[in-house]
């Protein structure tokens, strides 16, 4: 660890926003903005490994993003698949454990296969836990959790008194991980956009104007330093 910590930072989540606007500002196609965003993604992942961050969860594609123009969505899905295929061995070599969270039912077979391959390849890695949210929404996550609990209740596997916060957390996509300590959103918007609604209940929130393709590990480090100076109360007077 190369900076002094006041707060114990385990889990960082980032809403990677601004690829399309970055491209439009330069007169480029939106897909070129997404490709440029991949370079920032690699920089942030490499920094997280160097910083020895435990968990990094990234919002790559929301359920609502399906409403975007067909060509952009098609190219994005192709980009996701190619990126996973091209980077899986590099990520594995860095001891990164990769998990893709979200609804996979609309994905192509190629993308599904690449996801299965990278998760299987990296499942025993003990370094950075890298979660990438594709076709994810917080409401979808909670709804699936309720359905799972109801099925177990219906099968008499559990009773009503066993339903508590821990059980809900266990049935969410990231139920095996601690909650998010720090949430960053790039791109100037100040909203959560249906991301990790349960897991960010007590997160420290940072909304920055930098568009994702321009976001670097230097700005990331400055945010971590600011996080370390915050007084996290969790509802208690200190």
């Amino acid at each position: 660890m190369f900076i002094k910590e006041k707060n114990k930072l385990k889990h960082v989540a980032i809403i990677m926003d601004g690829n399309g606007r970055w491209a439009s500002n330069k007169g480029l196609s939106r897909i070129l903005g997404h490709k440029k965003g991949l370079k920032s993604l690699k920089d942030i992942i490499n920094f997280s490994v160097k910083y020895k961050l435990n968990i990094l969860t990234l919002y790559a594609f929301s359920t609502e993003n399906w409403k975007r123009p067909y060509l952009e969505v098609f190219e994005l899905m192709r980009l996701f698949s190619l990126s996973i295929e091209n980077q899986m061995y590099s990520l594995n070599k860095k001891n990164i454990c990769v998990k893709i969270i979200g609804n996979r039912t609309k994905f192509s077979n190629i993308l599904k296969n690449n996801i299965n391959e990278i998760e299987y390849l990296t499942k025993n890695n003990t370094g950075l836990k890298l979660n990438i949210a594709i076709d994810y929404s917080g409401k979808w996550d909670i709804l699936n959790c309720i359905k799972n609990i109801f099925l177990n209740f219906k099968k008499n596997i559990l009773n009503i008194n066993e339903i508590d916060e821990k059980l809900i957390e266990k049935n969410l996509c990231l139920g095996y991980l601690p909650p998010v300590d720090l949430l960053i959103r790039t791109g100037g918007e100040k909203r959560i956009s249906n991301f990790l609604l349960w897991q960010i209940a007590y997160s420290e929130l940072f909304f920055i104007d930098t568009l994702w393709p321009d976001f670097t590990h230097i700005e990331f480090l400055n945010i971590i330093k600011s996080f370390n100076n915050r007084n996290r109360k969790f509802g208690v007077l200190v």
Side-chain angles (χ1 to χ4, degrees):
M1 203 70 67
F2 53 84
I3 63 173
K4 187 177 180 181
E5 289 190 334
K6 173 183 174 182
N7 297 310
K8 194 170 183 181
L9 180 61
K10 292 182 178 179
H11 191 168
V12 176
I14 304 178
I15 300 174
M16 305 180 293
D17 190 24
N19 290 336
R21 279 174 288 154
W22 181 91
S24 297
N25 291 344
K26 297 179 180 298
L28 304 172
S29 69
R30 289 176 62 85
I31 197 62
L32 287 177
H34 295 303
K35 288 180 178 178
K36 179 64 169 64
L38 282 176
K39 295 182 179 179
S40 295
L41 177 57
K42 290 178 187 176
D43 181 39
I44 296 307
I45 291 173
N46 288 336
F47 170 82
S48 298
V49 171
K50 184 178 180 181
Y51 182 75
K52 298 190 185 327
L53 182 66
N54 290 3
I55 308 157
L56 179 64
T57 302
L58 304 169
Y59 206 11
F61 188 89
S62 74
T63 301
E64 292 78 13
N65 287 156
W66 289 109
K67 299 173 185 176
R68 291 185 177 183
Y70 171 79
L71 185 59
E72 181 180 354
V73 172
F74 176 82
E75 290 294 337
L76 264 174
M77 290 298 155
R78 193 171 70 89
L79 191 59
F80 290 149
S81 188
L82 286 172
S83 298
I84 292 171
E85 185 177 343
N86 292 335
Q87 296 299 318
M88 67 172 69
Y89 295 106
S90 172
L91 293 171
N92 184 52
K93 190 175 180 180
K94 293 171 184 173
N95 197 30
I96 296 172
C97 178
V98 180
K99 183 176 177 61
I100 308 299
I101 61 171
N103 182 359
R104 304 182 187 184
T105 57
K106 295 181 181 179
F107 295 168
S108 69
N109 288 333
I110 294 175
L111 178 53
K112 288 178 184 176
N113 290 338
N114 284 337
I115 289 172
N116 291 336
E117 189 173 351
I118 195 171
E119 288 186 336
Y120 181 80
L121 179 68
T122 66
K123 67 179 181 178
N124 294 321
N125 289 345
T126 57
L128 174 71
K129 291 180 174 60
L130 175 63
N131 309 298
I132 302 175
I134 306 176
D135 194 5
Y136 174 90
S137 86
K139 290 181 179 180
W140 168 86
D141 199 0
I142 293 169
L143 180 59
N144 271 357
C145 165
I146 293 170
K147 287 179 179 178
N148 290 336
I149 291 174
F150 176 74
L151 285 175
N152 287 331
F153 177 75
K154 194 175 179 181
K155 293 176 183 176
N156 294 319
I157 295 175
L158 58 84
N159 64 58
I160 193 73
N161 294 322
E162 293 176 299
I163 301 175
D164 56 13
E165 288 188 12
K166 287 185 178 180
L167 182 65
I168 292 173
E169 288 166 359
K170 183 181 176 182
N171 282 276
L172 294 170
C173 280
L174 299 180
Y176 60 98
L177 296 175
V180 175
D181 299 303
L182 166 62
L183 173 69
I184 302 167
R185 178 170 186 148
T186 64
E189 303 291 350
K190 296 177 174 62
R191 56 177 177 268
I192 302 305
S193 293
N194 207 356
F195 185 45
L196 301 177
L197 298 177
W198 180 281
Q199 296 90 336
I200 63 170
Y202 268 99
S203 301
E204 297 295 317
L205 308 180
F206 284 79
F207 299 101
I208 61 174
D209 292 330
T210 306
L211 301 175
W212 176 250
D214 292 326
F215 187 68
T216 68
H217 69 275
I218 296 171
E219 190 165 7
F220 191 18
L221 177 59
N222 288 333
I223 290 172
I224 291 174
K225 288 178 179 178
S226 180
F227 167 85
N228 285 332
N229 289 324
R230 288 194 177 184
N231 188 13
R232 305 189 75 196
K233 299 179 180 180
F234 299 99
V236 179
L237 288 177
V238 214

